[in-house]
Short mmCIF file of all heavy atoms in Angstrom, two decimals:
data_model
loop_
_atom_site.label_atom_id
_atom_site.label_comp_id
_atom_site.label_asym_id
_atom_site.label_seq_id
_atom_site.Cartn_x
_atom_site.Cartn_y
_atom_site.Cartn_z
N LEU A 1 0.83 -1.18 0.01
CA LEU A 1 0.01 0.02 -0.01
C LEU A 1 0.86 1.26 -0.03
O LEU A 1 0.50 2.26 -0.62
CB LEU A 1 -0.90 0.02 1.22
CG LEU A 1 -1.98 -1.07 1.26
CD1 LEU A 1 -2.72 -1.05 2.54
CD2 LEU A 1 -2.89 -0.90 0.07
N TRP A 2 1.96 1.20 0.69
CA TRP A 2 2.83 2.41 0.71
C TRP A 2 3.29 2.76 -0.67
O TRP A 2 3.34 3.93 -1.04
CB TRP A 2 4.05 2.08 1.57
CG TRP A 2 4.04 2.73 2.88
CD1 TRP A 2 2.95 2.92 3.74
CD2 TRP A 2 5.15 3.31 3.53
NE1 TRP A 2 3.39 3.53 4.88
CE2 TRP A 2 4.70 3.78 4.74
CE3 TRP A 2 6.48 3.43 3.19
CZ2 TRP A 2 5.59 4.40 5.66
CZ3 TRP A 2 7.36 4.02 4.09
CH2 TRP A 2 6.89 4.51 5.29
N GLY A 3 3.62 1.77 -1.51
CA GLY A 3 4.15 2.04 -2.84
C GLY A 3 3.10 2.73 -3.72
O GLY A 3 3.46 3.46 -4.57
N THR A 4 1.85 2.45 -3.47
CA THR A 4 0.83 3.10 -4.27
C THR A 4 0.47 4.48 -3.73
O THR A 4 0.12 5.37 -4.48
CB THR A 4 -0.44 2.23 -4.36
OG1 THR A 4 -0.95 2.00 -3.05
CG2 THR A 4 -0.18 0.92 -5.06
N TYR A 5 0.63 4.64 -2.46
CA TYR A 5 0.30 5.95 -1.82
C TYR A 5 1.42 6.98 -2.01
O TYR A 5 1.18 8.16 -2.32
CB TYR A 5 0.02 5.76 -0.34
CG TYR A 5 -0.29 7.04 0.36
CD1 TYR A 5 -1.50 7.71 0.09
CD2 TYR A 5 0.54 7.59 1.30
CE1 TYR A 5 -1.82 8.89 0.69
CE2 TYR A 5 0.23 8.76 1.95
CZ TYR A 5 -0.97 9.44 1.64
OH TYR A 5 -1.29 10.56 2.25
N LEU A 6 2.64 6.57 -1.82
CA LEU A 6 3.80 7.45 -1.94
C LEU A 6 4.55 7.12 -3.21
O LEU A 6 5.57 6.43 -3.19
CB LEU A 6 4.73 7.34 -0.73
CG LEU A 6 4.08 7.74 0.60
CD1 LEU A 6 4.98 7.38 1.75
CD2 LEU A 6 3.71 9.19 0.64
N HIS A 7 4.05 7.57 -4.30
CA HIS A 7 4.56 7.23 -5.65
C HIS A 7 6.05 7.55 -5.69
O HIS A 7 6.49 8.63 -5.40
CB HIS A 7 3.82 8.01 -6.74
CG HIS A 7 4.39 7.79 -8.09
ND1 HIS A 7 4.17 6.61 -8.75
CD2 HIS A 7 5.15 8.55 -8.88
CE1 HIS A 7 4.82 6.67 -9.91
NE2 HIS A 7 5.41 7.85 -9.99
N GLY A 8 6.82 6.49 -6.06
CA GLY A 8 8.25 6.71 -6.31
C GLY A 8 9.12 6.52 -5.10
O GLY A 8 10.34 6.52 -5.20
N ILE A 9 8.53 6.28 -3.94
CA ILE A 9 9.34 6.17 -2.73
C ILE A 9 10.29 4.94 -2.76
O ILE A 9 11.41 5.00 -2.22
CB ILE A 9 8.52 6.16 -1.46
CG1 ILE A 9 9.40 6.43 -0.24
CG2 ILE A 9 7.77 4.89 -1.31
CD1 ILE A 9 8.65 6.78 1.01
N PHE A 10 9.90 3.93 -3.45
CA PHE A 10 10.76 2.74 -3.52
C PHE A 10 11.71 2.76 -4.72
O PHE A 10 12.37 1.77 -4.99
CB PHE A 10 9.89 1.48 -3.53
CG PHE A 10 9.19 1.26 -2.23
CD1 PHE A 10 7.82 1.36 -2.11
CD2 PHE A 10 9.91 0.98 -1.08
CE1 PHE A 10 7.19 1.18 -0.89
CE2 PHE A 10 9.27 0.78 0.16
CZ PHE A 10 7.91 0.86 0.24
N ASP A 11 11.75 3.86 -5.43
CA ASP A 11 12.69 3.96 -6.54
C ASP A 11 14.15 4.09 -6.08
O ASP A 11 15.05 3.72 -6.79
CB ASP A 11 12.34 5.16 -7.43
CG ASP A 11 11.07 4.92 -8.26
OD1 ASP A 11 10.59 3.78 -8.28
OD2 ASP A 11 10.62 5.88 -8.88
N ALA A 12 14.34 4.67 -4.91
CA ALA A 12 15.69 4.89 -4.39
C ALA A 12 16.18 3.56 -3.81
O ALA A 12 15.63 3.05 -2.82
CB ALA A 12 15.70 5.97 -3.32
N ASP A 13 17.25 3.01 -4.38
CA ASP A 13 17.76 1.71 -3.92
C ASP A 13 18.10 1.65 -2.46
O ASP A 13 17.75 0.70 -1.77
CB ASP A 13 19.02 1.33 -4.74
CG ASP A 13 18.74 0.99 -6.15
OD1 ASP A 13 17.58 0.56 -6.47
OD2 ASP A 13 19.61 1.11 -7.00
N ALA A 14 18.78 2.71 -1.97
CA ALA A 14 19.19 2.70 -0.56
C ALA A 14 17.96 2.68 0.38
O ALA A 14 17.95 1.96 1.37
CB ALA A 14 20.04 3.93 -0.28
N PHE A 15 16.98 3.51 0.09
CA PHE A 15 15.79 3.54 0.95
C PHE A 15 15.08 2.20 0.88
O PHE A 15 14.64 1.68 1.90
CB PHE A 15 14.82 4.68 0.58
CG PHE A 15 13.55 4.61 1.36
CD1 PHE A 15 13.51 5.07 2.65
CD2 PHE A 15 12.44 4.05 0.83
CE1 PHE A 15 12.38 5.00 3.43
CE2 PHE A 15 11.27 3.93 1.56
CZ PHE A 15 11.23 4.44 2.86
N ARG A 16 14.87 1.68 -0.35
CA ARG A 16 14.15 0.43 -0.53
C ARG A 16 14.81 -0.68 0.26
O ARG A 16 14.18 -1.43 0.95
CB ARG A 16 14.06 0.07 -2.02
CG ARG A 16 13.21 -1.11 -2.27
CD ARG A 16 13.06 -1.38 -3.77
NE ARG A 16 14.32 -1.56 -4.43
CZ ARG A 16 14.87 -0.77 -5.31
NH1 ARG A 16 14.21 0.35 -5.68
NH2 ARG A 16 16.03 -0.98 -5.87
N ARG A 17 16.15 -0.80 0.20
CA ARG A 17 16.89 -1.86 0.91
C ARG A 17 16.74 -1.65 2.42
O ARG A 17 16.53 -2.57 3.16
CB ARG A 17 18.33 -1.81 0.49
CG ARG A 17 19.17 -2.87 1.18
CD ARG A 17 18.74 -4.30 0.95
NE ARG A 17 18.70 -4.51 -0.51
CZ ARG A 17 18.29 -5.59 -1.06
NH1 ARG A 17 17.86 -6.62 -0.34
NH2 ARG A 17 18.28 -5.74 -2.38
N TRP A 18 16.88 -0.40 2.86
CA TRP A 18 16.72 -0.12 4.31
C TRP A 18 15.33 -0.53 4.78
O TRP A 18 15.20 -1.17 5.83
CB TRP A 18 16.94 1.39 4.56
CG TRP A 18 16.60 1.83 5.92
CD1 TRP A 18 17.44 1.77 7.04
CD2 TRP A 18 15.37 2.40 6.38
NE1 TRP A 18 16.76 2.26 8.12
CE2 TRP A 18 15.50 2.64 7.75
CE3 TRP A 18 14.17 2.68 5.74
CZ2 TRP A 18 14.44 3.18 8.49
CZ3 TRP A 18 13.18 3.23 6.50
CH2 TRP A 18 13.28 3.47 7.85
N PHE A 19 14.34 -0.19 4.03
CA PHE A 19 12.93 -0.52 4.39
C PHE A 19 12.73 -2.03 4.48
O PHE A 19 12.20 -2.55 5.43
CB PHE A 19 11.97 0.16 3.39
CG PHE A 19 10.51 -0.03 3.78
CD1 PHE A 19 9.94 0.82 4.71
CD2 PHE A 19 9.79 -1.04 3.19
CE1 PHE A 19 8.60 0.64 5.03
CE2 PHE A 19 8.43 -1.17 3.51
CZ PHE A 19 7.83 -0.35 4.45
N ILE A 20 13.15 -2.71 3.46
CA ILE A 20 13.00 -4.14 3.41
C ILE A 20 13.75 -4.81 4.55
O ILE A 20 13.28 -5.76 5.18
CB ILE A 20 13.40 -4.72 2.02
CG1 ILE A 20 12.40 -4.26 0.98
CG2 ILE A 20 13.53 -6.23 2.05
CD1 ILE A 20 12.79 -4.58 -0.46
N ASN A 21 14.97 -4.35 4.77
CA ASN A 21 15.80 -4.94 5.86
C ASN A 21 15.14 -4.72 7.22
O ASN A 21 15.18 -5.60 8.09
CB ASN A 21 17.19 -4.42 5.81
CG ASN A 21 18.06 -5.13 4.81
OD1 ASN A 21 17.73 -6.24 4.40
ND2 ASN A 21 19.12 -4.49 4.37
N ARG A 22 14.52 -3.59 7.39
CA ARG A 22 13.80 -3.39 8.70
C ARG A 22 12.67 -4.36 8.85
O ARG A 22 12.46 -4.88 9.96
CB ARG A 22 13.27 -1.96 8.75
CG ARG A 22 14.43 -0.95 8.91
CD ARG A 22 14.07 0.25 9.62
NE ARG A 22 13.00 0.15 10.59
CZ ARG A 22 12.96 0.87 11.68
NH1 ARG A 22 13.91 1.70 11.98
NH2 ARG A 22 11.93 0.78 12.49
N LEU A 23 11.95 -4.61 7.77
CA LEU A 23 10.90 -5.60 7.82
C LEU A 23 11.40 -7.02 8.09
O LEU A 23 10.86 -7.80 8.89
CB LEU A 23 10.06 -5.61 6.54
CG LEU A 23 9.26 -4.36 6.25
CD1 LEU A 23 8.60 -4.48 4.87
CD2 LEU A 23 8.23 -4.11 7.32
N ARG A 24 12.51 -7.34 7.45
CA ARG A 24 13.13 -8.64 7.62
C ARG A 24 13.60 -8.86 9.07
O ARG A 24 13.34 -9.91 9.65
CB ARG A 24 14.34 -8.84 6.65
CG ARG A 24 13.95 -8.99 5.21
CD ARG A 24 15.16 -9.11 4.32
NE ARG A 24 16.02 -10.22 4.66
CZ ARG A 24 15.81 -11.49 4.32
NH1 ARG A 24 14.82 -11.84 3.51
NH2 ARG A 24 16.63 -12.44 4.72
N VAL A 25 14.25 -7.86 9.63
CA VAL A 25 14.74 -7.98 11.02
C VAL A 25 13.60 -8.10 11.97
O VAL A 25 13.62 -8.92 12.93
CB VAL A 25 15.62 -6.74 11.37
CG1 VAL A 25 15.93 -6.67 12.87
CG2 VAL A 25 16.94 -6.79 10.57
N ARG A 26 12.51 -7.39 11.78
CA ARG A 26 11.31 -7.52 12.62
C ARG A 26 10.74 -8.93 12.54
O ARG A 26 10.04 -9.36 13.52
CB ARG A 26 10.27 -6.50 12.20
CG ARG A 26 10.69 -5.08 12.60
CD ARG A 26 9.73 -4.06 12.05
NE ARG A 26 8.46 -4.06 12.74
CZ ARG A 26 7.47 -3.27 12.40
NH1 ARG A 26 7.59 -2.42 11.41
NH2 ARG A 26 6.32 -3.31 13.08
N ARG A 27 10.94 -9.61 11.45
CA ARG A 27 10.43 -11.00 11.26
C ARG A 27 11.48 -12.04 11.70
O ARG A 27 11.30 -13.23 11.48
CB ARG A 27 10.02 -11.25 9.84
CG ARG A 27 8.97 -10.35 9.29
CD ARG A 27 7.60 -10.76 9.94
NE ARG A 27 6.50 -10.05 9.31
CZ ARG A 27 5.94 -8.95 9.82
NH1 ARG A 27 6.36 -8.44 10.91
NH2 ARG A 27 4.94 -8.40 9.21
N GLY A 28 12.59 -11.57 12.21
CA GLY A 28 13.63 -12.52 12.70
C GLY A 28 14.59 -12.98 11.57
O GLY A 28 15.32 -13.96 11.74
N LEU A 29 14.54 -12.34 10.42
CA LEU A 29 15.45 -12.69 9.33
C LEU A 29 16.61 -11.73 9.33
O LEU A 29 16.50 -10.60 9.78
CB LEU A 29 14.67 -12.60 8.00
CG LEU A 29 13.45 -13.51 7.87
CD1 LEU A 29 12.67 -13.12 6.61
CD2 LEU A 29 13.89 -14.93 7.85
N GLY A 30 17.69 -12.17 8.75
CA GLY A 30 18.86 -11.31 8.62
C GLY A 30 18.70 -10.30 7.49
O GLY A 30 17.94 -10.52 6.53
N PRO A 31 19.39 -9.21 7.63
CA PRO A 31 19.33 -8.17 6.54
C PRO A 31 19.97 -8.66 5.28
O PRO A 31 20.87 -9.51 5.32
CB PRO A 31 20.01 -6.96 7.11
CG PRO A 31 20.92 -7.54 8.22
CD PRO A 31 20.24 -8.75 8.70
N LEU A 32 19.52 -8.15 4.17
CA LEU A 32 20.13 -8.49 2.86
C LEU A 32 21.30 -7.57 2.62
O LEU A 32 21.43 -6.48 3.20
CB LEU A 32 19.05 -8.33 1.78
CG LEU A 32 17.86 -9.24 1.87
CD1 LEU A 32 16.85 -8.88 0.84
CD2 LEU A 32 18.25 -10.67 1.75
N GLY A 33 22.11 -7.93 1.66
CA GLY A 33 23.26 -7.07 1.28
C GLY A 33 22.79 -5.90 0.46
O GLY A 33 21.61 -5.57 0.42
N ARG A 34 23.73 -5.30 -0.20
CA ARG A 34 23.40 -4.13 -1.06
C ARG A 34 22.46 -4.54 -2.18
O ARG A 34 22.46 -5.71 -2.59
CB ARG A 34 24.70 -3.60 -1.69
CG ARG A 34 25.59 -3.04 -0.62
CD ARG A 34 26.80 -2.38 -1.24
NE ARG A 34 26.31 -1.22 -2.02
CZ ARG A 34 27.00 -0.59 -2.95
NH1 ARG A 34 28.23 -1.04 -3.22
NH2 ARG A 34 26.56 0.41 -3.56
N ALA A 35 21.70 -3.59 -2.65
CA ALA A 35 20.76 -3.86 -3.72
C ALA A 35 21.53 -4.17 -4.97
O ALA A 35 22.51 -3.49 -5.33
CB ALA A 35 19.92 -2.61 -3.94
N GLY A 36 21.15 -5.25 -5.68
CA GLY A 36 21.88 -5.69 -6.85
C GLY A 36 21.21 -5.27 -8.15
O GLY A 36 21.80 -5.32 -9.22
N ALA A 37 19.96 -4.95 -8.13
CA ALA A 37 19.24 -4.63 -9.34
C ALA A 37 19.06 -3.12 -9.46
O ALA A 37 18.66 -2.45 -8.54
CB ALA A 37 17.86 -5.29 -9.33
N ARG A 38 19.38 -2.60 -10.63
CA ARG A 38 19.13 -1.18 -10.91
C ARG A 38 18.23 -1.17 -12.14
O ARG A 38 18.32 -1.99 -13.00
CB ARG A 38 20.43 -0.49 -11.20
CG ARG A 38 21.33 -0.47 -9.94
CD ARG A 38 22.50 0.44 -10.06
NE ARG A 38 22.31 1.87 -10.00
CZ ARG A 38 21.82 2.59 -9.03
NH1 ARG A 38 21.36 2.01 -7.95
NH2 ARG A 38 21.80 3.90 -9.03
N TYR A 39 17.33 -0.22 -12.16
CA TYR A 39 16.40 -0.13 -13.28
C TYR A 39 16.12 1.33 -13.56
O TYR A 39 16.31 2.20 -12.73
CB TYR A 39 15.12 -0.89 -12.96
CG TYR A 39 14.38 -0.33 -11.76
CD1 TYR A 39 13.38 0.62 -11.95
CD2 TYR A 39 14.67 -0.75 -10.47
CE1 TYR A 39 12.71 1.12 -10.88
CE2 TYR A 39 13.99 -0.19 -9.38
CZ TYR A 39 12.99 0.71 -9.59
OH TYR A 39 12.31 1.26 -8.54
N ASP A 40 15.68 1.51 -14.77
CA ASP A 40 15.28 2.84 -15.25
C ASP A 40 13.93 2.71 -15.86
O ASP A 40 13.73 2.00 -16.84
CB ASP A 40 16.34 3.37 -16.24
CG ASP A 40 16.03 4.80 -16.69
OD1 ASP A 40 15.17 5.43 -16.12
OD2 ASP A 40 16.74 5.25 -17.61
N LEU A 41 12.97 3.43 -15.32
CA LEU A 41 11.60 3.32 -15.78
C LEU A 41 11.33 4.03 -17.09
O LEU A 41 10.42 3.66 -17.83
CB LEU A 41 10.63 3.86 -14.70
CG LEU A 41 10.55 3.03 -13.42
CD1 LEU A 41 9.59 3.71 -12.44
CD2 LEU A 41 10.06 1.64 -13.74
N GLU A 42 12.11 5.09 -17.40
CA GLU A 42 11.81 5.86 -18.59
C GLU A 42 11.81 5.03 -19.87
O GLU A 42 10.92 5.19 -20.69
CB GLU A 42 12.78 7.03 -18.69
CG GLU A 42 12.52 8.12 -17.67
CD GLU A 42 11.12 8.63 -17.64
OE1 GLU A 42 10.55 8.90 -18.74
OE2 GLU A 42 10.54 8.84 -16.58
N PRO A 43 12.79 4.20 -20.12
CA PRO A 43 12.75 3.36 -21.34
C PRO A 43 11.49 2.44 -21.36
O PRO A 43 10.92 2.23 -22.43
CB PRO A 43 14.02 2.53 -21.26
CG PRO A 43 14.96 3.30 -20.41
CD PRO A 43 14.09 4.01 -19.43
N ALA A 44 11.09 1.94 -20.22
CA ALA A 44 9.88 1.12 -20.20
C ALA A 44 8.65 1.96 -20.57
O ALA A 44 7.74 1.48 -21.30
CB ALA A 44 9.72 0.47 -18.82
N PHE A 45 8.56 3.16 -20.03
CA PHE A 45 7.43 4.05 -20.39
C PHE A 45 7.45 4.40 -21.89
O PHE A 45 6.40 4.46 -22.52
CB PHE A 45 7.47 5.34 -19.59
CG PHE A 45 7.17 5.13 -18.10
CD1 PHE A 45 7.82 5.90 -17.14
CD2 PHE A 45 6.28 4.18 -17.67
CE1 PHE A 45 7.54 5.72 -15.81
CE2 PHE A 45 6.00 3.99 -16.34
CZ PHE A 45 6.63 4.79 -15.40
N ASP A 46 8.64 4.62 -22.44
CA ASP A 46 8.76 4.91 -23.87
C ASP A 46 8.25 3.73 -24.71
O ASP A 46 7.55 3.92 -25.68
CB ASP A 46 10.19 5.31 -24.22
CG ASP A 46 10.62 6.66 -23.69
OD1 ASP A 46 9.72 7.46 -23.32
OD2 ASP A 46 11.84 6.84 -23.57
N ARG A 47 8.66 2.55 -24.30
CA ARG A 47 8.17 1.34 -25.05
C ARG A 47 6.67 1.21 -24.94
O ARG A 47 6.02 0.90 -25.95
CB ARG A 47 8.90 0.11 -24.50
CG ARG A 47 10.36 0.01 -24.92
CD ARG A 47 10.95 -1.36 -24.61
NE ARG A 47 10.76 -1.84 -23.27
CZ ARG A 47 11.57 -1.55 -22.23
NH1 ARG A 47 12.60 -0.75 -22.40
NH2 ARG A 47 11.35 -2.00 -21.03
N LEU A 48 6.13 1.42 -23.75
CA LEU A 48 4.69 1.35 -23.59
C LEU A 48 3.97 2.36 -24.46
O LEU A 48 2.99 2.07 -25.12
CB LEU A 48 4.31 1.56 -22.10
CG LEU A 48 2.83 1.59 -21.80
CD1 LEU A 48 2.14 0.28 -22.17
CD2 LEU A 48 2.62 1.90 -20.30
N ALA A 49 4.49 3.59 -24.48
CA ALA A 49 3.90 4.64 -25.30
C ALA A 49 3.92 4.26 -26.78
O ALA A 49 2.94 4.48 -27.51
CB ALA A 49 4.59 5.97 -25.09
N ASP A 50 5.00 3.65 -27.22
CA ASP A 50 5.12 3.23 -28.61
C ASP A 50 4.07 2.17 -28.97
O ASP A 50 3.43 2.24 -30.02
CB ASP A 50 6.51 2.69 -28.94
CG ASP A 50 7.56 3.81 -28.96
OD1 ASP A 50 7.22 4.99 -29.11
OD2 ASP A 50 8.75 3.47 -28.84
N VAL A 51 3.88 1.22 -28.06
CA VAL A 51 2.92 0.13 -28.28
C VAL A 51 1.50 0.73 -28.31
O VAL A 51 0.73 0.37 -29.18
CB VAL A 51 3.02 -0.95 -27.14
CG1 VAL A 51 1.83 -1.86 -27.19
CG2 VAL A 51 4.37 -1.70 -27.27
N VAL A 52 1.21 1.66 -27.41
CA VAL A 52 -0.13 2.27 -27.41
C VAL A 52 -0.36 3.07 -28.68
O VAL A 52 -1.39 2.95 -29.33
CB VAL A 52 -0.28 3.19 -26.13
CG1 VAL A 52 -1.57 4.01 -26.24
CG2 VAL A 52 -0.32 2.33 -24.89
N ARG A 53 0.63 3.89 -29.09
CA ARG A 53 0.48 4.68 -30.33
C ARG A 53 0.30 3.76 -31.51
O ARG A 53 -0.49 4.07 -32.41
CB ARG A 53 1.77 5.51 -30.54
CG ARG A 53 1.73 6.84 -29.82
CD ARG A 53 2.89 7.72 -30.25
NE ARG A 53 3.30 8.56 -29.19
CZ ARG A 53 4.34 8.36 -28.38
NH1 ARG A 53 5.13 7.35 -28.60
NH2 ARG A 53 4.59 9.20 -27.40
N HIS A 54 1.00 2.63 -31.53
CA HIS A 54 0.93 1.71 -32.70
C HIS A 54 -0.48 1.02 -32.71
O HIS A 54 -1.01 0.74 -33.81
CB HIS A 54 2.03 0.65 -32.59
CG HIS A 54 2.01 -0.31 -33.71
ND1 HIS A 54 2.39 0.03 -34.99
CD2 HIS A 54 1.66 -1.61 -33.78
CE1 HIS A 54 2.29 -1.03 -35.78
NE2 HIS A 54 1.80 -2.02 -35.03
N GLY A 55 -1.03 0.78 -31.53
CA GLY A 55 -2.31 0.01 -31.45
C GLY A 55 -3.54 0.89 -31.58
O GLY A 55 -4.66 0.36 -31.68
N LEU A 56 -3.37 2.22 -31.49
CA LEU A 56 -4.53 3.09 -31.57
C LEU A 56 -4.52 3.95 -32.81
O LEU A 56 -3.44 4.12 -33.45
CB LEU A 56 -4.54 4.07 -30.36
CG LEU A 56 -4.67 3.40 -28.99
CD1 LEU A 56 -4.58 4.44 -27.90
CD2 LEU A 56 -5.98 2.67 -28.87
N GLN A 57 -5.63 4.48 -33.16
CA GLN A 57 -5.74 5.44 -34.31
C GLN A 57 -5.52 6.80 -33.75
O GLN A 57 -6.48 7.54 -33.42
CB GLN A 57 -7.06 5.30 -35.01
CG GLN A 57 -7.32 3.95 -35.66
CD GLN A 57 -8.66 3.88 -36.25
OE1 GLN A 57 -9.50 4.75 -36.07
NE2 GLN A 57 -8.86 2.76 -36.97
N MET A 58 -4.25 7.21 -33.59
CA MET A 58 -3.92 8.45 -32.92
C MET A 58 -4.47 9.65 -33.63
O MET A 58 -4.94 10.60 -32.94
CB MET A 58 -2.39 8.58 -32.75
CG MET A 58 -1.79 7.60 -31.80
SD MET A 58 -2.55 7.56 -30.15
CE MET A 58 -2.21 9.19 -29.55
N GLU A 59 -4.53 9.65 -34.98
CA GLU A 59 -5.09 10.79 -35.65
C GLU A 59 -6.58 10.99 -35.31
O GLU A 59 -7.02 12.15 -35.11
CB GLU A 59 -4.96 10.59 -37.19
CG GLU A 59 -3.56 10.67 -37.73
CD GLU A 59 -2.79 9.37 -37.41
OE1 GLU A 59 -3.41 8.31 -37.25
OE2 GLU A 59 -1.58 9.47 -37.38
N ALA A 60 -7.29 9.91 -35.17
CA ALA A 60 -8.73 10.00 -34.79
C ALA A 60 -8.85 10.54 -33.38
O ALA A 60 -9.72 11.36 -33.09
CB ALA A 60 -9.42 8.64 -34.95
N ILE A 61 -7.99 10.08 -32.51
CA ILE A 61 -8.04 10.52 -31.09
C ILE A 61 -7.72 12.00 -31.06
O ILE A 61 -8.38 12.76 -30.35
CB ILE A 61 -7.07 9.71 -30.24
CG1 ILE A 61 -7.62 8.26 -30.11
CG2 ILE A 61 -6.90 10.33 -28.85
CD1 ILE A 61 -6.67 7.29 -29.46
N TYR A 62 -6.70 12.45 -31.79
CA TYR A 62 -6.33 13.87 -31.81
C TYR A 62 -7.48 14.69 -32.35
O TYR A 62 -7.78 15.80 -31.86
CB TYR A 62 -5.07 14.11 -32.62
CG TYR A 62 -3.81 13.57 -32.01
CD1 TYR A 62 -2.82 13.04 -32.78
CD2 TYR A 62 -3.64 13.54 -30.60
CE1 TYR A 62 -1.61 12.55 -32.25
CE2 TYR A 62 -2.45 13.04 -30.05
CZ TYR A 62 -1.46 12.55 -30.86
OH TYR A 62 -0.34 12.05 -30.33
N ARG A 63 -8.14 14.17 -33.38
CA ARG A 63 -9.27 14.89 -33.94
C ARG A 63 -10.41 15.05 -32.95
O ARG A 63 -10.99 16.12 -32.80
CB ARG A 63 -9.76 14.17 -35.22
CG ARG A 63 -10.74 14.94 -36.06
CD ARG A 63 -11.04 14.27 -37.42
NE ARG A 63 -11.34 12.86 -37.32
CZ ARG A 63 -10.50 11.82 -37.69
NH1 ARG A 63 -9.33 12.13 -38.18
NH2 ARG A 63 -10.88 10.60 -37.58
N ILE A 64 -10.70 14.02 -32.25
CA ILE A 64 -11.76 14.04 -31.20
C ILE A 64 -11.40 15.04 -30.14
O ILE A 64 -12.27 15.77 -29.61
CB ILE A 64 -11.99 12.65 -30.62
CG1 ILE A 64 -12.63 11.69 -31.66
CG2 ILE A 64 -12.89 12.69 -29.38
CD1 ILE A 64 -12.63 10.24 -31.27
N MET A 65 -10.11 15.08 -29.78
CA MET A 65 -9.64 16.01 -28.80
C MET A 65 -9.57 17.45 -29.27
O MET A 65 -9.33 18.37 -28.49
CB MET A 65 -8.27 15.58 -28.28
CG MET A 65 -8.28 14.27 -27.52
SD MET A 65 -6.64 13.68 -27.13
CE MET A 65 -5.94 14.95 -26.17
N GLY A 66 -9.73 17.64 -30.59
CA GLY A 66 -9.63 18.97 -31.16
C GLY A 66 -8.18 19.48 -31.34
O GLY A 66 -7.91 20.67 -31.39
N LEU A 67 -7.31 18.52 -31.51
CA LEU A 67 -5.88 18.88 -31.69
C LEU A 67 -5.48 18.76 -33.12
O LEU A 67 -5.78 17.96 -33.88
CB LEU A 67 -4.96 18.01 -30.83
CG LEU A 67 -5.23 18.06 -29.30
CD1 LEU A 67 -4.35 17.04 -28.58
CD2 LEU A 67 -4.88 19.46 -28.82
#
């Protein structure tokens, strides 16, 4: 729920690892090491936009919008 309420809060590797490790310790598990995965959302958003543009009749949508 936090991830949906505070958009982007888990994007920072250091904060995300700290938060997860606190939950792990509270459950009696050991903390994990440094975060190993890095990601960039912008290329994924660009690919999604390309798929949407390709699958829709953008000219018709722009016309309806008055653009």
Side-chain angles (χ1 to χ4, degrees):
L1 293 174
W2 254 40
T4 58
Y5 179 68
L6 299 172
H7 177 73
I9 195 165
F10 292 113
D11 288 351
D13 290 334
F15 175 80
R16 186 176 59 247
R17 180 60 57 184
W18 171 84
F19 184 82
I20 290 171
N21 279 338
R22 290 208 29 147
L23 294 176
R24 289 178 58 83
V25 169
R26 288 172 73 181
R27 299 287 188 262
L29 301 170
L32 299 173
R34 294 185 66 197
R38 296 192 71 63
Y39 62 93
D40 184 7
L41 293 178
E42 290 304 317
F45 291 146
D46 291 340
R47 287 191 307 273
L48 176 60
D50 289 341
V51 168
V52 170
R53 277 190 209 100
H54 181 73
L56 297 176
Q57 296 177 353
M58 293 306 298
E59 291 77 24
I61 292 172
Y62 292 146
R63 191 172 48 255
I64 292 168
M65 293 172 60
L67 299 176

